[in-house]
Each structure stands twice: as C-alpha cells, then as structure tokens.
Amino acid sequence: MTLKFDGSSTEGTAGAGVVIISPTEVKTTLSFNLDFPCTNNQAEYEALVIGLEILKNLQAKNIQVIGDSQLVLRQVAGEYKCTSLSLAPYFAAASQLADDFEEINFQYVPRQQNWEANELDQIASGLKLSEELTHRLVLIQKRNHPSIIQRGLQVGTFNWMLIWQVIGEKN
C-alpha cells in the first residue's frame, strides 16, 4: 500500500490531504479540515498520522509513505531528531503508528510530485481548486481536535515521560 500525505496551515485555517493507493492501484483521496490552531509542520504530521491510522485499520503490513515534508519524513524515519516541543507529541504518535507495520519506507518528493495530496489539503483548508479537481465530488471531514489527543497526547498538556520515552527510542 502507498500513502501520500500533505498538510498546510494558513492564517485562518488548515487542512490535511491523504491519498491511499492499494496494491491493485485503486486510489482513495481524502481531505480533512483541521478546525483547530496548528502550524504548517503540525498539519503535515496530522496528515501523516491520519493516513497511518487508516492504513493500520485496513490491516496493511508493508507500506510506502510519500510526502513533501523533509522535516516530518526524516524525523519519523529516524534521520533527524525531533527537538520541537510543539511537534514532539505528533512525532510520538507517528512513530508509534509506524511501529505497527511490518515494513515501512519513507520517500521525500518535491511538492510538484505530491500534487494530489497537496490539492486535497488545499481543498480542506478552503483554498482555490484546480480545474482537474473541480469536477470531482469531494467529501471533506472536519477534525475539531488534533489526532494526537485521540491517542492520549496533547500539545502543552501531555505526558512528557511518555513523549520523551518514545523520542528517546527513535532518536
């Protein structure tokens, strides 16, 4: 299975885009409106966590994760350390989910090669659509709380011991 993800945050809104491609090349595209304050990197992590949760629920075993955020991909792949207090709970959630797969590969691509996920997060955040996407029926889900809260973590008020334990294991 392949997961393409992207997230974006603007002054007033944020969105997450997820593209899941099955082994038989069936493509599912999803948009999520993030109705809570978040940075662009937090929106990127939201998209990744949402996508990984979907693949986990589909009982995927071997996955390819593709995105245009070098920071997020390299942190979760263990190439970069996560030192940001605001990203630590997202890093912990994504790392815990990544451990649920037998094999997981991370691939960075430039934004132009991640255009579908990018446009899906743009749709969710209310920005202008390209002509190619305007003819499609798109369901946009609203998320009122960060995905990390559902996993028992929160920005600012979370269990630091758990976060640092996970970060320490990954870094």
Side-chain angles (χ1 to χ4, degrees):
M1 300 272 280
T2 300
L3 165 64
K4 294 182 178 183
F5 74 96
D6 199 15
S8 67
S9 178
T10 62
E11 192 172 306
T13 187
V18 172
V19 178
I20 296 176
I21 305 169
S22 75
T24 59
E25 300 298 316
V26 173
K27 191 181 294 185
T28 302
T29 56
L30 304 160
S31 291
F32 300 86
N33 175 260
L34 306 178
D35 193 25
F36 51 87
C38 64
T39 67
N40 197 62
N41 286 331
Q42 288 171 331
E44 292 276 3
Y45 262 115
E46 279 289 331
L48 175 59
V49 169
I50 290 166
L52 291 174
E53 286 176 337
I54 292 168
L55 290 177
K56 180 181 175 183
N57 288 334
L58 292 172
Q59 299 178 347
K61 301 291 181 208
N62 303 311
I63 64 170
Q64 174 78 22
V65 178
I66 300 171
D68 58 36
S69 172
Q70 285 193 55
L71 176 74
V72 170
L73 288 168
R74 291 192 175 179
Q75 283 179 346
V76 178
E79 297 173 34
Y80 290 174
K81 290 185 177 187
C82 179
T83 58
S84 166
L85 295 179
S86 67
L87 295 181
Y90 289 99
F91 170 77
S95 296
Q96 288 172 342
L97 283 163
D99 287 343
D100 291 334
F101 300 97
E102 289 177 12
E103 185 177 329
I104 185 167
N105 295 303
F106 299 98
Q107 179 184 357
Y108 165 79
V109 295
R111 176 167 287 147
Q112 300 86 346
Q113 292 178 25
N114 199 33
W115 66 270
E116 286 177 296
N118 179 262
E119 288 197 350
L120 291 165
D121 75 51
Q122 302 286 316
I123 291 169
S125 63
L127 300 178
K128 188 174 179 165
L129 308 178
S130 72
E131 241 180 81
E132 186 171 331
L133 283 180
T134 56
H135 72 280
R136 294 187 194 177
L137 174 63
V138 178
L139 171 66
I140 300 173
Q141 293 184 359
K142 182 176 275 193
R143 295 280 177 120
N144 296 317
H145 304 287
S147 59
I148 56 175
I149 289 176
Q150 294 171 341
R151 302 184 69 75
L153 306 169
Q154 293 181 342
V155 176
T157 58
F158 49 85
N159 183 335
W160 283 105
M161 295 302 286
L162 172 64
I163 297 301
W164 292 121
Q165 178 184 2
V166 172
I167 289 173
E169 291 173 1
K170 294 296 177 180
N171 288 322

